[in-house]
Amino acid sequence: MSKTNLTRRGVLRTGAVAGAGLALPTIFTSGAQAFTNEPDGGSVTLGFNVPQSGAYADEGADELRAYELAVEHLNGEGDGGMLNTFSSKALEGNGIMGHKVEYVTGDTQTKSDAARASAKSMIEKDGAIMITGGSSSGVAVAVQSLCQEAGIIFMSGLTHSNDTTGKDKKANGFRHFFNAYMSGAALAPVLAARYGADRKAYHLTADYTWGWTQEESIVAATEALGWETVKTVRTPLGAGDFSSYITPVLQTDADVLVLNHYGGDMVNSLTNAVQFGLREKMVNNKNFEIVVPLFSRLMARGAGENIKGILGSTNWHWSLQDDASKAFVKSFGTKYGFPPSQAAHTTYCQTLLYADAVARAGSFNPCAVVEALEGFEFDGLGNGKTLYRAEDHQCFKDVLVVRGKENPTSEYDLLEVVEVTPAAQVTYDPEHPMFAGGALGECNDGA
């Protein structure tokens, strides 16, 4: 058992839980409640906080679909989905420890302040016992911090910044999604093998925590294999038209454009790059290439023809043929009429993992949930064998390198998996410099 777990076991037994910062309202501390929003009836409320507007709204919509499906399965409705393939058998389809699962939703607007306000309302007014969701690392960092202060577990959604489980990690927060370092470690060898080691890259980067760490990770991974970084340029979230950022690329000797953009921003910047003829250019006697380090089927759909042949990484894809992925795709497809995205997969898994941790711990107390998740090894959720590492609450599993399909067979068959990178290749030391500067701290139950 790790020193971290030993410390938290001591905290849990004595009840002397550390955690400060939020002036807790009476609802958190009154009556006989032993911890924040301790259930006192036959149901329990989860808070689903997703972007229903803004640049990442497509991901948010699919997250909500998956959350609703997860609630159905937890409550014993539908075909059970991944409850049937999950290696842990603690969940019985009777809610969570006999409590029927209910939920409330909020709109993060892809803005940190709005996301915190929404999460705060869910905790204070709706009695949410757990908050989950988001498609922005800026949002994830902000809400994770709020949940730490309030004594609530945060099961993050799409957050890819190294900082979420790096300098901004919190004891009450957990991430199933992979991160920017992992994308670099998986993608760079494929880029070097296909495009050569003698390349010059120009980066356009979303100007917030995710973009910064994505750029840092890709630059480090590609330069280690021989690439040169010509220039890095920051772009505002939700810029819309990226033409003014594409034009300067033409004035350099760069032969690769790396788009550290996500959601609607990636669709727009890639479209602008193609409109400027970059994919037809020859530079340094090489075909000019465009790389999108992180993208999904939803983004591929938005990009249309422009995504063909583009390399990137993704957390999961509906074409995987393991039993868990097939079960999830069948269940989701039956309910909604189309396959799930990586956003849907991630949030579905996070909901099940939280519920399972409660069941295994035999308690909704956040510190008991932390203890149950730290160092938890599992399988059967679609990414193969997975570890929730105790030191930083990051999941480690295989990473997919994907490419936009040249000849898709349907509007959903847009990506092909070109390599499954084993977890060992993307695993790093908890003290790696890209993740330094923060402390996990102690769990907070709000008591």
Side-chain angles (χ1 to χ4, degrees):
M1 182 186 299
S2 70
K3 181 178 179 181
T4 304
N5 267 340
L6 282 171
T7 302
R8 296 221 174 90
R9 284 180 183 272
V11 168
L12 186 56
R13 280 199 289 263
T14 64
V17 179
L22 185 68
L24 299 179
T26 305
I27 187 174
F28 291 162
T29 57
S30 64
Q33 286 193 329
F35 52 89
T36 301
N37 292 340
E38 179 183 11
D40 59 2
S43 64
V44 63
T45 300
L46 308 182
F48 301 151
N49 203 23
V50 306
Q52 298 183 53
S53 58
Y56 298 167
D58 282 351
E59 278 74 15
D62 230 29
E63 288 176 345
L64 276 184
R65 295 182 187 105
Y67 282 135
E68 292 172 2
L69 187 64
V71 168
E72 288 182 9
H73 291 167
L74 289 173
N75 286 333
E77 304 166 15
D79 63 10
M82 286 184 173
L83 290 184
N84 301 318
T85 59
F86 189 17
S87 59
S88 175
K89 301 304 177 184
L91 295 170
E92 300 177 355
N94 63 343
I96 304 177
M97 289 207 310
H99 293 74
K100 182 179 180 181
V101 181
E102 299 179 346
Y103 65 91
V104 291
T105 66
D107 183 6
T108 69
Q109 303 175 39
T110 321
K111 298 176 182 177
S112 297
D113 289 346
R116 279 182 65 98
S118 178
K120 189 171 186 288
S121 176
M122 291 176 179
I123 297 168
E124 294 181 5
K125 297 180 181 179
D126 302 308
I129 190 79
M130 181 270 278
I131 300 294
T132 178
S135 296
S136 158
S137 291
V139 162
V141 167
V143 175
Q144 181 170 257
S145 178
L146 172 78
C147 289
Q148 178 69 36
E149 295 166 355
I152 291 290
I153 292 294
F154 176 60
M155 302 295 283
S156 61
L158 296 193
T159 171
H160 193 242
S161 170
N162 293 338
D163 293 346
T164 308
T165 47
K167 72 178 183 64
D168 294 309
K169 60 182 175 283
K170 301 294 182 186
N172 284 39
F174 292 85
R175 170 163 60 181
H176 180 266
F177 204 63
F178 68 148
N179 59 43
Y181 174 91
M182 295 175 178
S183 284
L187 186 56
V190 176
L191 294 177
R194 290 174 181 260
Y195 300 150
D198 182 22
R199 283 286 186 166
K200 297 183 178 182
Y202 191 113
H203 288 249
L204 293 181
T205 300
D207 193 12
Y208 73 105
T209 178
W210 168 66
W212 306 333
T213 65
Q214 176 69 93
E215 176 190 288
E216 178 187 28
S217 299
I218 297 297
V219 165
T222 55
E223 287 186 351
L225 295 176
W227 285 29
E228 175 187 343
T229 304
V230 173
K231 192 170 184 178
T232 60
V233 176
R234 303 287 168 83
T235 63
L237 185 63
D241 185 357
F242 289 86
S243 299
S244 62
Y245 296 98
I246 300 295
T247 303
V249 180
L250 304 171
Q251 313 306 318
T252 72
D253 63 348
D255 47 42
V256 177
L257 174 62
V258 181
L259 296 175
N260 298 303
H261 292 152
Y262 196 74
D265 283 353
M266 171 274 198
V267 171
N268 292 330
S269 63
L270 176 59
T271 299
N272 289 155
V274 173
Q275 288 172 341
F276 274 73
L278 290 185
R279 298 198 74 173
E280 285 74 46
K281 284 180 65 67
M282 290 287 293
V283 180
N284 306 322
N285 294 317
K286 302 178 180 70
N287 290 326
F288 193 99
E289 304 291 351
I290 302 174
V291 176
V292 179
L294 174 67
F295 67 95
S296 67
R297 177 183 62 79
L298 296 176
M299 293 158 63
R301 181 186 64 190
E305 294 281 322
N306 298 327
I307 201 65
K308 291 184 176 182
I310 299 291
L311 284 167
S313 66
T314 194
N315 191 61
W316 176 86
H317 190 252
W318 68 269
S319 65
L320 293 175
Q321 292 301 299
D322 61 280
D323 289 343
S325 294
K326 289 193 292 185
F328 180 51
V329 171
K330 177 184 176 183
S331 186
F332 189 97
T334 298
K335 182 174 177 63
Y336 297 112
F338 49 85
S341 65
Q342 69 168 355
H345 174 260
T346 297
T347 53
Y348 180 92
C349 289
Q350 284 288 66
T351 309
L352 262 57
L353 285 164
Y354 169 77
D356 175 76
V358 171
R360 288 187 293 107
S363 173
F364 284 98
N365 188 304
C367 292
V369 174
V370 168
E371 181 182 336
L373 283 172
E374 285 187 334
F376 179 45
E377 295 182 81
F378 57 91
D379 203 345
L381 290 186
N383 284 109
K385 292 181 179 179
T386 304
L387 167 68
Y388 242 134
R389 189 161 67 180
E391 289 83 357
D392 51 11
H393 298 183
Q394 172 66 54
C395 268
F396 289 89
K397 54 191 182 295
D398 296 348
V399 170
L400 306 181
V401 177
V402 294
R403 178 176 56 198
K405 265 196 170 183
E406 295 287 353
N407 298 297
T409 58
S410 74
E411 62 180 305
Y412 307 111
D413 180 37
L414 303 178
L415 304 181
E416 58 183 333
V417 177
V418 298
E419 184 159 326
V420 179
T421 306
Q425 185 175 318
V426 301
T427 299
Y428 50 87
D429 189 276
E431 303 303 319
H432 189 285
M434 288 187 188
F435 297 84
L440 197 62
E442 300 295 343
C443 66
N444 176 25
D445 67 5

